[in-house]
């Protein structure tokens, strides 16, 4: 019973943290409207949240492989929220980038240790890891609504109110940390695999597939609100609805992925999901009018069906370095997607958003190609 309760609390805490990943893209239209940023400048904010995170995340993963650091969960949650809360109160572009980068570091510090704790609590269950990942998806989905509710009335000056989810998330993880520290819980041990059990080649191929997926998702996150306004000739609400669907579809995809993995092996589910996502992303880019919302939801579900499965796959490919595996699949490869955002923004500034988003259609196909012949590892708790 305590395990189920702990997974629920970790999932809720994950939601509170990933609000701040989703909040970065949700803030972009407000920065453009209030500060007259161009597409490239606005996408630089997304890059700022991603770049430091991509560098720091493997470091935290390596540290959690060497030492358990559960205290990182509440500390990093607060740091992630504080950076976003401060990002809207200064008119300085440099300070905005700095605050968003601080939030990115907090998010980076959270994920490897949180994934390690979730694996310990769940004993490597795919379903439990799916629920843990679902929390993050729901946080993403809540971000555009939360940002809109807070900022529509008073603008960026109200951004300090966005720290509230971080405060809640830091409190939610405390019972889990107390449970792990109790002597009765410490009896839960794992068979430590030998270093020779690591399948680094498969892990690297999986990571490359996640990079391609990340570029698609982060690119859509940064610009789908603006693109939906153009394609539907709607206002801010039309853009917010598209971003909400992008994140909510991810929640549906995560739950579906863990269910499908109980019926077929993980590699099969991941492979077919990426193949189906090619058509969905094409629909987002090329189909005009309200139908864009359907394709946004389908693309999001297709991109997220593999999400939690890739975490457990990575952990099983690197059983001696679970923290590093979690840090790379949850953080580094996801953050790298943000590096492509300025390129997308630059193309949009010199051409159009449709032209800039069109290359995203090919990337799920590349993910499919990379993982097509990957072996299904034997699941090992460690």
């Amino acid at each position: 019973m305590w395990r189920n309760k702990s997974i629920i609390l970790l999932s809720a805490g994950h939601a509170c943290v990933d609000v701040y990943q989703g909040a970065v893209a949700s803030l972009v239209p407000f920065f453009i409207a209030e500060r007259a940023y161009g597409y490239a400048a606005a996408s630089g904010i997304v890059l700022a949240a991603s770049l430091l995170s991509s560098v720091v995340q493997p470091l935290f993963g390596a540290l959690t492989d060497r030492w358990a650091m559960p205290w990182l969960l509440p500390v990093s949650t607060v740091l992630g929220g504080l950076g976003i809360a401060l990002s809207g109160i200064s008119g300085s572009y440099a300070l905005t980038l700095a605050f968003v980068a601080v939030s990115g570091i907090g998010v980076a510090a959270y994920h490897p240790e949180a994934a390690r704790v979730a694996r310990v609590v769940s004993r490597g269950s795919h379903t439990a890891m799916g629920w843990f990942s679902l929390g993050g998806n729901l946080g993403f989905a809540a971000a555009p609504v939360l940002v809109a509710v807070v900022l529509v009335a008073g603008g960026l000056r109200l951004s300090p109110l966005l720290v509230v989810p971080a405060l809640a998330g830091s409190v939610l993880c405390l019972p889990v940390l107390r449970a792990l520290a109790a002597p009765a819980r410490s009896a839960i041990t794992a068979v430590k695999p030998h270093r020779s059990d690591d399948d680094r080649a498969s892990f690297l191929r999986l990571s490359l597939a996640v990079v391609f997926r990340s570029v698609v998702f982060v690119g859509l996150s940064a610009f789908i609100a603006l693109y939906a306004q153009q394609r539907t000739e709607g206002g801010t609400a039309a853009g917010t609805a598209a971003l909400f669907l992008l994140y909510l579809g991810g929640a549906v995809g995560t739950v579906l992925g863990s269910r499908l993995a109980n019926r077929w092996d993980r590699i099969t589910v991941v492979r077919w999901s990426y193949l189906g996502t090619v058509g969905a992303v094409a629909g987002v880019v090329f189909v005009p009018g309200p139908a864009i919302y359907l394709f946004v939801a389908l693309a999001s579900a297709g991109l997220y069906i593999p999400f939690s499965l890739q975490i457990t796959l990575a952990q099983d490919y690197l059983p001696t370095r679970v923290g590093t595996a979690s840090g790379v699949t949850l953080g580094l490869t996801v953050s790298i997607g943000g590096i492509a955002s300025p390129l997308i923004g630059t193309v949009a500034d010199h051409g159009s958003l449709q032209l800039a988003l069109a290359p995203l259609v090919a990337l799920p196909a590349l993910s499919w190609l990379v993982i097509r012949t990957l072996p299904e590892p034997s699941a090992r708790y460690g």
Side-chain angles (χ1 to χ4, degrees):
M1 180 64 68
W2 77 271
R3 292 176 186 164
N4 293 336
K5 179 181 178 181
S6 294
I7 285 293
I8 291 172
L9 290 172
L10 285 171
S11 180
H14 195 187
C16 293
V17 171
D18 277 7
V19 160
Y20 299 108
Q21 292 204 78
V24 177
S26 305
L27 286 167
V28 164
F30 292 93
F31 285 124
I32 290 175
E34 290 192 29
R35 300 182 183 175
Y37 291 162
Y39 289 129
S43 60
I45 296 173
V46 178
L47 175 63
S50 304
L51 191 57
L52 269 180
S53 180
S54 67
V55 174
V56 171
Q57 192 108 220
L59 172 61
F60 281 107
L63 289 174
T64 59
D65 283 333
R66 185 176 290 269
W67 302 287
M69 295 188 292
W71 55 267
L72 268 179
L73 271 62
V75 172
S76 60
T77 299
V78 171
L79 190 64
L82 191 62
I84 291 298
L86 296 175
S87 67
I89 63 175
S90 169
S92 165
Y93 185 68
L95 278 178
T96 299
L97 294 180
F99 288 136
V100 171
V102 166
S103 177
I105 292 174
V107 171
Y110 173 85
H111 282 101
E113 181 65 6
R116 185 195 68 81
V117 170
R119 184 177 174 91
V120 170
V121 168
S122 68
R123 300 186 64 82
S125 165
H126 304 326
T127 301
M129 189 60 75
W131 284 109
F132 170 71
S133 300
L134 174 63
N137 302 147
L138 293 176
F140 264 115
V145 177
L146 176 66
V147 170
V149 168
V150 172
L151 300 189
V152 163
L156 291 170
R157 64 183 178 83
L158 295 183
S159 67
L161 295 176
L162 296 175
V163 78
V164 173
L167 300 179
S170 65
V171 172
L172 286 170
C173 68
L174 295 180
V176 181
L177 304 190
R178 285 196 294 269
L180 287 175
R185 310 311 184 201
S186 64
I188 299 178
T189 58
V191 176
K192 297 296 182 182
H194 299 292
R195 190 166 299 276
S196 60
D197 290 338
D198 287 347
D199 184 351
R200 296 183 182 181
S202 294
F203 174 75
L204 289 174
R205 287 171 60 191
L206 176 68
S207 299
L208 183 58
V210 179
V211 167
F212 293 142
R213 173 220 173 264
S214 172
V215 173
V216 179
F217 185 77
V218 176
L220 290 178
S221 296
F223 297 106
I224 194 62
L226 298 169
Y227 192 57
Q229 291 179 42
Q230 292 180 7
R231 301 296 279 177
T232 63
E233 298 182 350
T236 302
T240 299
L243 194 59
F244 177 73
L245 275 177
L246 182 71
Y247 295 159
L248 185 63
V252 174
T254 298
V255 174
L256 184 59
S258 62
R259 296 288 180 86
L260 292 174
N262 289 329
R263 186 164 187 175
W264 294 284
D265 66 82
R266 289 169 290 177
I267 292 296
T268 297
V269 174
V270 171
R271 183 171 65 239
W272 283 105
S273 297
Y274 279 134
L275 197 58
T277 303
V278 175
V281 176
V284 172
V285 176
F286 297 112
V287 175
I292 189 176
Y293 294 112
L294 171 63
F295 287 106
V296 167
L298 290 174
S300 177
L303 290 168
Y304 265 96
I305 284 174
F307 189 75
S308 66
L309 306 182
Q310 290 168 160
I311 299 171
T312 58
L313 280 168
Q315 291 173 337
D316 289 337
Y317 284 139
L318 291 186
T320 70
R321 299 183 179 183
V322 169
T324 299
S326 303
V328 170
T329 50
L330 270 171
L332 175 62
T333 49
V334 174
S335 300
I336 286 175
I339 297 175
S341 294
L343 177 60
I344 297 172
T346 300
V347 174
D349 280 336
H350 291 85
S352 68
L353 264 179
Q354 185 177 62
L355 177 65
L357 295 175
L360 300 184
V361 176
L363 295 182
L366 293 178
S367 290
W368 171 82
L369 187 64
V370 169
I371 57 93
R372 186 172 58 89
T373 58
L374 276 180
E376 174 72 23
S378 58
R380 286 165 290 190
Y381 171 70

